[in-house]
Amino acid sequence: MKVMEQVYQIRIDFQVTEQVQRFVYVYLITGKNCYLIDTGVTGSERIIAEYMQGIDRSIDEVKAIFLTHAHPDHIGSAAAIRQQTDCKIYCSAEEQPWIADIDLQFRERPIPNFYGLAGQSVPIDEIVWEGDRIKVEDDIELEVIATAGHSKGDVSYLLNECVLFSGDAVPAAGDFPIFVNFEESMHSLDKIRACAFVKCCPAWDRVYENGECEALLRDRKDLLYNLKETVIMTDCQHAGLSENEKISMIAKRMGFNGGVGNPLFAASVEACRN
């Protein structure tokens, strides 16, 4: 889907398990050359290449990949695209170890079908920091905004002070939020709210116009607050339950049926306690 001039959204559908289907959005920026925000799961390079052919561009034109964070649905085809194009890969210092060594990521954050999604380890060429302005072409500049919380080193990229690529920093509608740090997640939502942009392009949700984002971000902050309050209340009222029983109760109280037995939801619950 064309978001606006020079910016395209590419949907990647994938299976976490046979029972769990998800999707993620990759974003393409076009100029004299082409640039990707994230890369989807392993094998996504074929979908990206087909999409680019449809707009008369080639995946061989990709000169850089800007990764928002290290999770498998964002880095999965980075190695394959780098092998084909010799492009540069950018990410934050905190996320670099999990991208350069996916075995380390699996040991520290095991999820179902990890290797089927994450592809291969890939070296990082450039570390990005809060406030960096990366000018890849005369009329294409990306500003780095630290938006940690979903993972410890999440970053968003602001294109030409106009389009914000927020990765997974903004929880998606209709699903349980995934984060490792409650306070940082809340702070990141405030930073996005204060940021001037025309369009916000999340990885898990549709594109939002700036005028829609006030209500969107307020709703997502309320969601995180409600989850934290539910965790505290459940811990107080049902101290004798096992951890799995507590997590199941929290998921049901919040209406997150997909959270029951899900290790990522369990991590969000634990983050609410810290």
Side-chain angles (χ1 to χ4, degrees):
M1 181 188 84
K2 187 172 183 177
V3 175
M4 60 186 298
E5 197 64 33
Q6 293 188 291
V7 179
Y8 300 83
Q9 182 192 67
I10 305 171
R11 176 170 169 141
I12 308 292
D13 292 286
F14 62 95
Q15 297 287 143
V16 179
T17 66
E18 289 185 5
Q19 296 76 30
V20 179
Q21 182 172 358
R22 297 192 71 97
F23 72 88
V24 69
Y25 288 122
V26 168
Y27 291 93
L28 170 69
I29 301 167
T30 60
K32 293 178 182 177
N33 298 300
C34 296
Y35 310 90
L36 290 171
I37 307 293
D38 292 332
T39 66
V41 298
T42 185
S44 299
E45 67 275 7
R46 295 187 292 273
I47 299 170
I48 295 168
E50 288 173 6
Y51 185 91
M52 292 182 71
Q53 288 173 2
I55 60 169
D56 296 322
R57 303 302 295 252
S58 168
I59 197 168
D60 294 330
E61 298 178 75
V62 172
K63 296 300 180 184
I65 295 169
F66 294 89
L67 297 174
T68 60
H69 61 292
H71 293 165
D73 53 331
H74 296 259
I75 69 166
S77 65
I81 295 171
R82 180 191 173 92
Q83 288 167 8
Q84 181 172 340
T85 67
D86 198 31
C87 63
K88 282 188 173 183
I89 300 181
Y90 295 73
C91 79
S92 70
E94 294 86 353
E95 300 293 300
Q96 186 269 345
W98 276 11
I99 299 169
D101 182 358
I102 63 169
D103 294 330
L104 172 64
Q105 179 174 174
F106 180 70
R107 288 195 299 272
E108 296 181 350
R109 187 182 184 261
I111 62 168
N113 193 27
F114 174 84
Y115 287 101
L117 302 173
Q120 305 173 40
S121 303
V122 63
I124 299 303
D125 299 288
E126 300 284 348
I127 295 296
V128 301
W129 305 94
E130 167 88 305
D132 282 355
R133 290 180 177 268
I134 305 163
K135 197 174 187 67
V136 293
E137 294 186 12
D138 288 343
D139 61 347
I140 299 178
E141 182 179 78
L142 291 159
E143 180 182 353
V144 179
I145 302 170
T147 49
H150 172 75
S151 69
K152 62 182 179 179
D154 256 296
V155 294
S156 297
Y157 298 97
L158 181 61
L159 170 65
N160 295 340
E161 300 184 348
C162 180
V163 182
L164 181 71
F165 303 103
S166 59
D168 293 339
V170 181
D175 204 350
F176 63 84
I178 297 172
F179 54 93
V180 296
N181 188 299
F182 176 83
E183 295 298 336
E184 287 187 345
S185 290
M186 297 295 282
H187 180 56
S188 292
L189 293 176
D190 286 335
K191 287 179 72 175
I192 291 171
R193 184 178 177 182
C195 185
F197 54 82
V198 176
K199 294 179 185 288
C200 179
C201 297
W204 279 355
D205 206 346
R206 68 175 177 87
V207 174
Y208 287 88
E209 303 292 332
N210 180 276
E212 300 177 287
C213 283
E214 178 78 20
L216 169 72
L217 296 169
R218 184 170 59 247
D219 177 77
R220 299 306 190 264
K221 287 189 72 174
D222 287 345
L223 174 67
L224 296 188
Y225 272 128
N226 290 340
L227 176 58
K228 186 176 182 71
E229 289 177 353
T230 301
V231 171
I232 293 170
M233 180 178 66
T234 303
D235 285 347
C236 290
Q237 294 178 347
H238 302 280
L241 294 181
S242 70
E243 183 62 13
N244 286 339
E245 288 172 328
K246 288 180 184 177
I247 291 171
S248 294
M249 182 174 291
I250 292 164
K252 290 173 183 176
R253 284 178 167 177
M254 292 291 299
F256 299 145
N257 292 329
V260 177
N262 190 310
L264 299 182
F265 181 65
S268 297
V269 169
E270 185 60 28
C272 287
R273 294 173 173 142
N274 297 329

